[in-house]
Amino acid sequence: MNASNTNPQLPSAENGTDDQSLFRKKPPIPFHPILFAVFPILLLYSRNFSQIELREVIGPLVYSVLGTVIVWCVTWLLTKQNLKGAGEASLVIVLFFFYGHLQNLLPVSLHWMSGAICLFALVLVTIPIIRTRRTLYDFNRVLNFFAFVLILPSLWSIGLSTFHKPESVASNGSSDSGNSVIKTVSHRSVAKISKLEAEKLPDIYYIILDAYGRSDRLAEYYHLDNRPFLKALKQRGFYIADRSGANYDQTPLCIASALNYNYLDKLIDAHITPNDGNEKARQLLDDNKVINYLSKKGYKYIHIGSGVGATRVDTADVELNVSGESALFEDEAMGLTPLESAPSTATPKYDEHRDKLIGAFNELDKVAKILGPKFVFAHVLAPHPPFVLGANGESVYPHGPLNLSDGSWLLESLSREDYIKGYSNQLKYVNIRVIKALDQIKKLSRHTPIIIVQGDHGSRMNLDWANIKNTDLREPFSILNAYNVPGKILKDLYNTITPINSFRVILHDLFGANLPLLPDKSYYSTAYNPFDYIDVTSQVRSTQKPLPATK
């Protein structure tokens, strides 16, 4: 009698095993399909710390895991074996998310091949998985290990932010520095003032045009003559700080520091995690010292939103253009997959983003109608990419899904020529709308308003998000900075003023606030470590060239 008859429970090669190693090995639990599913989402989030809030990642993670579970069930039914089904599911998930990267590697004319290449790879690997009679124990162990190694850095970063949250305390808008405390929203109230007092107070507008570069840099990098726009501003009484620089290279850092008229190393602990730090920067932007000071003088806080969560404001008295934040992170995640090629996905998102840009200008055109002294903070996400507007406001539809990438990341999928063209045309339309908005503000205002039109940072085509050595520091730190102010403030402005000192000058000269000027400095940081600052002031200033005369 042979072995198979004496012990019928012994697995044979025909049942999909290879030898008696089954008795020495315990089948692994295949968790790699789930890790492969969440890896690209978390990696994408790590590359957008300064633009994306953690809550925006939850939806894509849930969809990815649920989709993987469905795929896994299907492959298990087809293969009739758990380990084979798991291996096949991981292959499908990896190819699904690799699709977008493959498109970026191929010329536009060959994008149609992306699907065929992924399908060919799927068939090529599926055949040996289906036909093998081995247990696939070691194969699944390797996949488990590889998937875990891939996801570990992202898990580490997210884990630090999730499990080491600093204690929260209430904010009262007073001076604070050198701690990692994340503040809750303050319960600010507007001081009651008489009608006569209100009549004497000028409205104050802080208009941020995202990534609006300085005129000399626009000429150098984009071959764009922006002097006619500067001339139009000067004709309307604006002072142009033609040597102005940004204090930081990332939007939340730039605006938070400007609205709190201090450097962030005095406001945010340098050892704070990126997630906690970005939320602290957003809260400093939201519940800022400028409005806390002005509210005591009787000012209302008016916010005109951009649709970006990183500059969301929760404490404004009036919120405009903020109906629903764009699901930009979902769009970027979708861009990694074949779903981005579906005709029903990309176009509406571009339209939504374009409407948000135009909506911000539409609100600026009429916000002066709101009665009483007011501080208006408007963030317009242009001329920053994506480039969805032509020079005259015509609709533009870039290739691929909507996302907020610029600099070295955008150049992975966009040529320099297209970057220059898209940025230049969008800036030209921004110029048209800015002039119109300024004219409307002055027309509708009872008294001459104070207006700051400022780039948070400069254009960033030559910024490397990971390496300062590959960054031309002249570009991201050279900004548009224009002031429409009364003479007593004008006398204290200077051509190298940076945003950190804008409200120090205004609040000091207008109300007598004890706010001495700070040194005008510029700090570079990577997207991965936004609070690890490198002082680049000397490098930025040492590369300046003579300015061309304004026409």
Side-chain angles (χ1 to χ4, degrees), residues 347 350-351 354 386-391 393-399 422 425-426:
T347 299
Y350 283 122
D351 291 336
R354 187 182 306 105
F387 305 127
V388 297
L389 288 162
E394 61 270 26
S395 297
V396 175
Y397 296 93
H399 172 75
N425 286 337
Q426 191 149 280

Side-chain angles (χ1 to χ4, degrees), residues 349-357 381 386 388 402 404:
K349 294 299 182 181
Y350 283 122
D351 291 336
E352 179 184 347
H353 182 68
R354 187 182 306 105
D355 290 344
K356 188 69 70 173
L357 298 181
L381 200 62
V388 297
L402 176 68
L404 295 181

